[in-house]
Amino acid sequence: MSGRVGDLSPRQAELLAQLREKLQDVLPSLPSQDDYFLLKWLRARSFDLPKAEAMVRKHVEVRKHMDADNIIAWEPPEVSVPGLPVVALEGIDPKSPGVCVRCLEPPVLPQVIRKYMSGGMCGYDREGSPVWYEIIGPMDAKGLLFSASKQDLMKKKFRDCELLRHECEQQSEKLGKKIEMVTMVYDCEGLGLKHLWKPAVDTYGEILSMFEENYPESLKSLFIVKAPKLFPVAYNLVKHFLSEDTRKKVVVLGSNWKEVLQKYIDPAQIPAEYGGTLTDPDGDPKCSSKINYGGDVPQHYYVRDQLAQKYEHSVVVNRGSSHQVEYEILFPGCVLRWQFRSEGSDIGFGVYLKTKVGERQRAGDMTEVLPNQRYNAHMVPEDGSLTCSTPGIYVLRFDNTYSFLHSKKVSYSVEVLLPDTASAQQIQGESPNHSP
């Protein structure tokens, strides 16, 4: 039995009744109390009653914390940036005696989250479910994390989930049938190494976990379109945040993605940008009134220039010397990702590929992959990544050969990021479209 309304085994029906009884004290706090809603939590926990009850109770606490009943009306806080010129209000000279304090406050900038956090709901699939688009390429994750708190970014995504839940309820009333799942389209064109920045990946992982834990059984399908070769690495970083059931719903589409989308969504409900006929009233093929396409966050929005980092290793690079760290890359397509900071002064850094295995080589004897240069990592921590197109031994080299007076302490973390095999095969066309 599927565990859905109208298709319950006697045991499943009994567990549903027991869950309802156990949740009597919190039912009024839930957005819905019908069997459809409660069965979602039971299915998400394979009809394990204690686990389903614990999941619902945790969701109630999250709803309280997020003020979920009022979150759709919530707007991300505006950013007030000190240091910009003061603005006189209503013609009042700020230098005049008795001017109000408010006139001397720095100007308030538009909400950076609303303006630069990409995504949006646009149209419905052929069964009436809302369709949500995520636009990955133009999203400036570092700029957003430097300009807004992670809590507000999480709250914005929780608000998006609530919008979709409300839309499902409205569609249910409108169509006279239960709509409780959404279709998602992830546009991955432009996905690059900047998106693999560790704090960004960690934050996105928390967002995915939040979705899994608070909106179970709400995803119908997730279509990946325009996936670049880097996608398997990016997906491998976040797929462990997804349940096995959710992973099965992720479908990487090939070059025929427009035709595939139209099998599930009527062209009249697909933006012209994605192969349909839908446009904004002004003819905009991207339907920008519904979908935010993000973009680079201007630095004048920044309220911080770094995030707290934890480093796995620490080493003192003596004056006039260098320190080398080796990583073996077994097959092409892997990504090296690093973060480091120095203390007291700058440090040189470069990446090389060894030409002889089993012995230490000087920089001049190795193949230069990332040219050595000096970084002010004592002021702002450095981070970066590169795609390894050739297997071999890669050397990350911290260079202090130019300093004849000072040793440098360097703290660093390095990771080798592997691609997800199934999605890599799909992108290479080695297998038909299926879930990774």
Side-chain angles (χ1 to χ4, degrees), residues 408-419:
K408 312 283 178 62
K409 182 179 180 181
V410 177
S411 300
Y412 65 94
S413 296
V414 182
E415 297 170 275
V416 178
L417 309 180
L418 305 176

Side-chain angles (χ1 to χ4, degrees), residues 25-37:
D25 59 314
V26 296
L27 279 179
S29 303
L30 295 173
S32 175
Q33 296 88 41
D34 62 19
D35 289 349
Y36 292 95
F37 185 78

Side-chain angles (χ1 to χ4, degrees), residues 8 18 46 85 217 288 340 359 363 411:
L8 297 177
Q18 290 179 14
S46 302
E217 297 286 307
S288 301
F340 65 88
E359 62 182 69
S411 300

Side-chain angles (χ1 to χ4, degrees), residues 58-294:
K58 185 176 179 181
H59 175 63
V60 170
E61 293 303 312
V62 172
R63 292 189 68 83
K64 290 179 182 176
H65 176 71
M66 290 288 189
D67 191 21
D69 292 337
N70 302 305
I71 198 169
I72 290 182
W74 173 80
E75 288 289 350
E78 295 180 315
V79 181
S80 179
V81 179
L84 292 183
V86 293
V87 179
L89 302 180
E90 299 175 357
I92 301 175
D93 183 356
K95 299 180 181 178
S96 300
V99 68
C100 70
V101 175
R102 191 163 64 93
C103 298
L104 298 177
E105 293 177 349
V108 174
L109 297 174
Q111 292 104 325
V112 67
I113 294 177
R114 182 177 64 183
K115 191 170 183 179
Y116 292 100
M117 198 162 186
S118 59
M121 181 173 59
C122 185
Y124 306 92
D125 67 17
R126 292 186 181 275
E127 295 178 339
S129 296
V131 180
W132 182 273
Y133 291 81
E134 283 287 341
I135 316 299
I136 305 299
M139 187 173 65
D140 180 7
K142 180 176 286 189
L144 285 167
L145 283 169
F146 282 176
S147 305
S149 71
K150 184 169 71 172
Q151 290 75 17
D152 283 333
L153 294 174
M154 298 282 289
K155 192 168 184 178
K156 168 63 167 63
K157 297 310 291 185
F158 194 92
R159 178 181 182 271
D160 291 344
C161 291
E162 282 294 295
L163 277 171
L164 287 167
R165 188 185 62 76
H166 275 269
E167 192 66 24
C168 285
E169 289 181 351
Q170 293 178 10
Q171 282 293 95
S172 297
E173 294 180 10
K174 178 180 176 181
L175 301 177
K177 64 178 182 178
K178 192 65 176 180
I179 302 294
E180 53 181 343
M181 306 181 90
V182 302
T183 293
M184 291 189 172
V185 178
Y186 272 53
D187 179 354
C188 291
E189 184 176 28
L191 173 69
L193 293 173
K194 70 174 185 177
H195 296 100
L196 302 188
W197 184 49
K198 191 174 188 303
V201 173
D202 292 345
T203 299
Y204 195 64
E206 290 186 46
I207 289 172
L208 292 177
S209 295
M210 178 184 71
F211 178 78
E212 288 280 1
E213 293 167 6
N214 293 281
Y215 297 91
E217 297 286 307
S218 296
L219 177 66
K220 182 187 294 185
S221 296
L222 193 161
F223 296 109
I224 305 292
V225 303
K226 296 184 277 186
K229 290 183 178 179
L230 188 64
F231 173 79
V233 174
Y235 180 68
N236 212 30
L237 280 173
V238 299
K239 70 178 185 181
H240 66 279
F241 293 105
L242 305 175
S243 67
E244 189 62 34
D245 184 61
T246 298
R247 291 188 204 180
K248 293 177 181 177
K249 297 174 181 178
V250 177
V251 183
V252 182
L253 301 183
S255 57
N256 65 334
W257 60 269
K258 291 182 180 180
E259 290 83 354
V260 176
L261 284 185
Q262 291 182 18
K263 292 180 182 178
Y264 299 91
I265 312 169
D266 189 282
Q269 294 290 322
I270 301 175
E273 175 76 7
Y274 293 98
T277 59
L278 185 64
T279 65
D280 271 348
D282 63 359
D284 179 3
K286 292 186 173 183
C287 297
S288 301
S289 67
K290 299 180 177 68
I291 304 171
N292 188 337
Y293 285 80

Side-chain angles (χ1 to χ4, degrees), residues 349-365:
F349 178 79
V351 181
Y352 302 83
L353 181 61
K354 294 185 75 169
T355 56
K356 290 184 179 180
V357 179
E359 62 182 69
R360 179 183 170 95
Q361 290 184 283
R362 295 178 179 273
D365 297 329

